Amino acid sequence: MPGNNYNLSSSHIPLSRTERLLRERELREKRRSNRALNPNDSVENSENDLRLEGDSSRQQYVEQYLEGAAAAMAHDDVCERQEVRPYNRQRLLVVANRLPVSAVRRGEDSWSLEISAGGLVSALLGVKEFEARWIGWAGVNVPDEVGQKALTKALAEKRCIPVFLDEEIVHQYYNGYCNNILWPLFHYLGLPQEDRLATTRSFQSQFTAYKKANQMFADVVNEHYEEGDVVWCHDYHLMFLPKCLKEYNSKMKVGWFLHTPFPSSEIHRTLPSRSELLRSVLAADLVGFHTYDYARHFVSACTRILGLEGTPEGVEDQGRLTRVAAFPIGIDSERFIRALEVPDVIQHMKELKERFAGRKVMLGVDRLDMIKGIPQKILAFEKFLEENASWRDKVVLLQIAVPTRTDVSEYQKLTSQVHEIVGRINGRFGTLTQVPIHHLDRSLDFYALCALYAVTDVALVTSLRDGMNLVSYEFVACQEAKKGVLILSEFAGAAQSLGAGAILVNPWNITEVAASIGQALNMSPEEREKRHRHNFHHVKTHTAQEWAETFVSELNDTVIEAQLRISKVPPELPQNDAIRRYSKSTNRLLILGFNATLTEPVDNQGRRGDQIKEMDLNLHPELKGPLKALCSDPSTTIVVLSGSSRSVLDKNFGEYDMWLAAENGMFLRLTNGEWMTTMPEHLNMEWVDSVKHVFKYFTERTPRSHFETRDTSLIWNYKYADIEFGRLQARDLLQHLWTGPISNASVDVVQGSRSVEVRAVGVTKGAAIDRILGEIVHSKSMTTPIDYVLCIGHFLGKDEDVYTFFEPELPSDIIPAIARSRPSSDSGTTRSSSGGGDRRPPSKSTHNNHNNKSSSKSSSSHSNNHHHNNKASSQRSLQQTTATERKSSGSSNSHSLGNSRRPSPEKISWNVLDLKGENYFSCAVGRTRTSARYLLGSPDDVVCFLEKLADTSVPNSS
């Protein structure tokens, strides 16, 4: 298919996203201008298409659109002559709940198709840039196979593909979950009460049907999908669809657009299935809304409910970015403008002007729905008539109220209420010959509506909550001659687009709306001209075609951006290769992080976080067996290197034969030994009390925040606080720290995603590794160099120097010597070692950039595994001694430090590491922005890998 060749060549991709989008916009404009040079090729410019009567005009117009009569490919030769590159139209699979046609069965294998009304159909009528296919429900139950085949064949001629839903699914999915749960919630009407829920069974059964229906839509999309297609999912009916599609094909280009408002996070969080729906939508590459407010609400819901990171671009989850943006929809304005030239419309306009001669015409066109604010509109008009007696026989309000969901009691009550108010006002202010309000409970055909728009002086849109409201656009498009005034509710999405030219009102404020009616009726021609000019320009330029083209263009670019981002992300850990090299090595070192690496997952049942459970760090229960097997292998040494306190590591790992390195390696012990400190001598900790005072103050000011005190650092954590408030507090805290307590202190400030840590300078995991290694080598009396290193953890960026410490590709001049001193019974004070044991390697903090640069190899190895072919090895010498402090205590749970001193023993020198590039595996858990070579997604992935590794260790341990 033409769309299959749409993917851009990476060699021609501009560097910035904006540059790429501007170039694509320029190409679209050139193609559009070429089509303008050949008007005979365009469907909508055919006079015969517009000289149709009544509803048939709309029907034939839509049919021609669906049959693809607009042959864009005919412009290729024109493009070549004008040096504009020919283009292939991209295939666009438009997936919506309803097809743009409704099917009526005429026989066992015979169907007739009728055009369906709907905003999405109207909006996409003018889109010619893509080769579109529609996928959706035809609005009818077809249980038999013969009928399904016949209907599929009939719809194929209209470029439509049906999804067959049975009556029970439609009842629970569409009437139940979509219309009874999601629609009211998204329009701020709240969830239904139990008595209403009971009428359509339980909420859970409706949600189950909703997911099942979405999967049925996904099955049809997967059946017709071809590589390079763009899948565009529409509206709240299909929030689960992006996840279903991505599970089938992760490379599928998927966009999702919501045509209703998206409520604030405080409203959305009342939805029982809130988290599941948000995560399903986030599976899409691009999520679109009508306005920035709706997009902001969605991002806020993801951050506050899911605890994800919101960015100016969208929502980030484990390094994957879902782009979220606003795309205000438009109309095919030219269709309305040309309709005013049709003789039938001109005649109808003449009749209306004669009918309402001498009176100003006000118009309202709405669905008879609770959110449209029809009662508020009529009551405001009544107040205007009360206060302006001179206008009572000079103005008329025409209210077109299109019936909807007439079988629902709430809508029946609304209809009765509107009729009662209209009757009362007409009885109060009307005469035998005329009434102030003409109320019509039915829809008008396209031409009648255009004529009505054209003769209107004031259009009144008083929606209480509306996704966009295209009636305001249609009115403006038909007002080039009269230049009428638009009164527009500030709660309609269109207010953000047409607000400059319209009079914005709060429909709940009847007095304000009444005053605005007076302002509009008395407005000078000059002001009307200025307001109309602004709105008319917007309506003509921001068309439905431009909306669709912009969305798909951004979707294509979002996929390109994601590919560029992924190219910089390390690959997944090659587990089979890591296990094979593990089994062939003779002396292995495994360095494992703890938090978010070996910890037990907390079941939050869809909630954002259980603070008490998550703060209590526990070892993953499935790791007990694998860890024991690995620890029992005499050729394997395990170090748990964590920022946690000693008591936490004691509680979780006391039963294993391994090394524990607490507080970023500043405290070390073998599990059957005592704690000792590896801290550099003369470590300045005078800043602790002042920083603790600041942390305590901000903890009191920030609900659900807390701080932890450790021997070498202080941590303030606001993970469970309100996201936005926590960030503001963190900013204030940092500003206060830098200008006060730590302005002259030798400390490092480490910012996590939702934490602030202050630690002594040089306290990093990488800086402690050489001292830890020295202790391990001496304790085990190693005589064989370490030839295999596996380092896995979820470390902060400051601590990722532990990955680069072992990197064999680093130049030898930055590799430090590892020093170690033997323990002695002599007591004394700690003294500074003159050698490498006390010296932190420059690479750990200052050479991180060097590693990123030198590891163009290491980076490229993410994609081509080049380091497996690197035969260079790292050989590090144990050349001199250091002093360490031991913990003097009879109990391993006591963490008071003694003052034991060790004299220098005899010096030894030999190669501690003999590490080839292919035998070193550094792996970050759940962090895509990392200097590690590889990735694992979660602690569960770590568990699976270590289980496999333990199985390999079993023969060796015997």
Side-chain angles (χ1 to χ4, degrees), residues 112-127:
S112 65
L113 303 179
E114 298 176 356
I115 302 304
S116 301
L120 178 60
V121 178
S122 301
L124 289 174
L125 282 176
V127 177

Side-chain angles (χ1 to χ4, degrees), residues 758-770:
V758 180
R759 57 170 76 158
V761 168
V763 176
T764 68
K765 292 178 172 66
I769 278 292
D770 56 338

Side-chain angles (χ1 to χ4, degrees), residues 429-440:
F429 297 108
T431 65
L432 291 175
T433 56
Q434 60 184 23
V435 291
I437 301 177
H438 290 248
H439 182 85
L440 202 60

Side-chain angles (χ1 to χ4, degrees), residues 34 45 67 110 120 141 152 186 238 345 368 395 398 481 512 575 589 613 633 778 912:
N34 289 331
N45 286 335
E67 290 165 4
S110 174
L120 178 60
N141 180 34
T152 301
F186 283 12
L238 301 175
V345 176
L368 192 52
V395 63
L398 310 180
E512 179 187 346
Q575 298 188 21
L589 176 63
K613 288 183 179 180
D633 187 342
H778 171 72
V912 176

